Amino acid sequence: MIRKFYFKIAMCCAMIWILILTGCSRDRTGAEKLTKLEYEETEKSKTEIYIESPETDTEPETDVFLPEPELVEADWSEYSDGLNGAAVIYDVSELRYTVYNRELALTQSSPCSTFKIISSLIALEQRIIPSEDSTRTWSGEVFWNEKWNRDIDFESSFRDSCVWYFRQVIDDIGQERMQEELYKLQYGNCDISDWEGRLNTNNNNRALTGFWIESSLAISPKEQTEVMERIFGTDSVYSEETQNRLRQVMLVTEQNQASASIYGKTGMGRANGSIDAWFTGFAEHGEKKVYFCVYLGKSDDENISSTAAKKIAIRLVTDYFKN
């Protein structure tokens, strides 16, 4: 009898202990779930308490909303030599766009070879254009530009605007990655649907066509300056190495002793009897930097060229820093 009595007591104690352990386990699990569910609110409460504490001298961090840059129109007709065009200088330090021919400055057109800035940017960042040997082999096909009829490296192809080189580079980047990068840059209409450039009726050689040459992609002069600021501005997400290499190939050497350092890229094409001619980039003078774009077009004037756009831009930017 005694043994049975102690056995019953032992069994009861064991059952009570199991119930205690089970309850603790449930409480612990519930606490963990509660912690996960309420973590963000708890952290928020801690922050709010800290901010409201009268003992702290620091101001609470708040989102800073800078005012939108103003858009000021200017009469720069003296620089255009009678050519139909638009010009934009984006001065971030002054939070100001200065614009000549507002309507045309806000009108999107094909970027043509100015897009080599973007294809170079992406390819350099992704190591598609290597830092060492960037030479690509010429196919042997004879092109209209003699400078393209050879094996050519990145620096030469950029300066000589070699289309077949960058056609290969863009194919290596690929459509999906290109689309992502253009969305990130907010590049014009971001339309690369005509990947091969079949909308370009000027040329049916697929080595010399693409979405960026009188095809689906379009951008305005004002948007060009904004993209340049996203690449070379203080908030750029691109590596210093990539930016420096781009700066080297974009540097304008024929500046006639201009006090500012000017960097840019030309571009030119023709669609529906109208010419598109560009020069876009940025310029530095001391601590000051501005982003610019000169566009000549929406005209059949044969005097319109990317060379003319470049000359106008150099004069305009140089005088802007003087004022």
Side-chain angles (χ1 to χ4, degrees):
M1 291 291 292
I2 295 174
R3 288 181 179 176
K4 288 182 179 180
F5 176 76
Y6 282 117
F7 178 77
K8 287 181 180 180
I9 292 176
M11 289 295 294
C12 289
C13 290
M15 289 179 68
I16 293 170
W17 182 246
I18 288 170
L19 288 172
I20 291 171
L21 288 175
T22 304
C24 290
S25 177
R26 285 177 181 170
D27 289 343
R28 189 180 298 112
T29 304
E32 287 175 355
K33 289 180 179 178
L34 186 65
T35 301
K36 290 178 181 177
L37 289 172
E38 295 186 349
Y39 176 77
E40 290 185 2
E41 288 299 321
T42 303
E43 291 300 308
K44 183 179 178 182
S45 299
K46 288 178 183 177
T47 304
E48 289 173 350
I49 292 169
Y50 174 76
I51 289 172
E52 293 172 1
S53 172
E55 296 178 1
T56 179
D57 295 328
T58 58
E59 292 293 327
E61 291 185 7
T62 56
D63 292 330
V64 178
F65 296 99
L66 294 175
E68 286 293 315
E70 63 175 333
L71 193 150
V72 177
E73 296 187 59
D75 182 6
W76 286 334
S77 57
E78 61 183 289
Y79 295 93
S80 65
D81 297 325
L83 301 175
N84 184 51
V88 181
I89 291 181
Y90 180 22
D91 190 332
V92 179
S93 63
E94 300 292 336
L95 280 176
R96 182 177 63 236
Y97 297 97
T98 307
V99 174
Y100 168 64
N101 195 344
R102 179 191 179 112
E103 182 178 356
L104 194 54
L106 302 179
T107 300
Q108 293 182 332
S109 303
S110 171
C112 302
S113 284
T114 63
F115 191 74
K116 288 184 174 69
I117 298 173
I118 310 306
S119 50
S120 298
L121 171 77
I122 299 167
L124 288 169
E125 196 79 345
Q126 300 293 330
R127 298 289 190 264
I128 290 168
I129 295 177
S131 56
E132 297 299 328
D133 185 8
S134 61
T135 300
R136 290 181 178 246
T137 304
W138 173 45
S139 67
E141 180 180 356
V142 178
F143 300 105
W144 63 268
N145 190 327
E146 286 293 332
K147 294 179 179 179
W148 301 353
N149 298 327
R150 60 189 176 94
D151 295 353
I152 192 168
D153 63 12
F154 163 62
E155 285 75 13
S156 297
S157 65
F158 188 95
R159 295 190 179 102
D160 295 333
S161 214
C162 180
V163 179
W164 70 256
Y165 184 99
F166 282 94
R167 174 73 263 183
Q168 291 183 13
V169 166
I170 282 171
D171 284 336
D172 289 347
I173 292 170
Q175 195 162 355
E176 184 177 350
R177 183 185 294 170
M178 179 64 76
Q179 190 69 78
E180 290 173 359
E181 293 293 337
L182 293 193
Y183 283 143
K184 186 166 71 175
L185 282 166
Q186 301 173 53
Y187 190 93
N189 66 358
C190 295
D191 185 356
I192 61 172
S193 57
D194 186 31
W195 183 258
E196 293 186 347
R198 297 183 182 277
L199 294 176
N200 182 352
T201 58
N202 300 315
N203 201 322
N204 58 10
N205 185 338
R206 295 306 159 214
L208 302 179
T209 59
F211 60 84
W212 70 98
I213 308 174
E214 301 298 355
S215 186
S216 57
L217 188 64
I219 191 169
S220 72
K222 178 176 177 286
E223 290 170 330
Q224 287 266 35
T225 65
E226 292 165 350
V227 170
M228 291 300 104
E229 194 274 333
R230 291 181 192 119
I231 297 172
F232 297 104
T234 54
D235 295 328
S236 174
V237 299
Y238 300 99
S239 69
E240 188 175 342
E241 179 184 352
T242 293
Q243 290 185 56
N244 286 340
R245 200 156 176 208
L246 259 182
R247 289 165 65 97
Q248 290 171 11
V249 294
M250 289 173 64
L251 179 63
V252 176
T253 55
E254 61 271 37
Q255 296 185 36
N256 298 321
Q257 305 300 316
S259 56
S261 297
I262 301 174
Y263 306 82
K265 180 72 185 76
T266 55
M268 187 171 173
R270 182 189 291 270
N272 303 318
S274 173
I275 297 171
D276 291 311
W278 300 88
F279 188 64
T280 189
F282 66 97
E284 297 171 326
H285 181 64
E287 297 297 317
K288 193 176 183 66
K289 179 187 287 186
V290 299
Y291 306 89
F292 67 83
C293 182
V294 169
Y295 170 81
L296 303 176
K298 300 295 181 276
S299 167
D300 58 1
D301 190 334
E302 293 299 326
N303 292 318
I304 287 179
S305 68
S306 58
T307 301
K310 185 177 183 178
K311 288 180 179 178
I312 291 169
I314 292 172
R315 288 171 52 208
L316 187 60
V317 171
T318 301
D319 287 350
Y320 182 85
F321 281 120
K322 290 178 180 178
N323 297 332

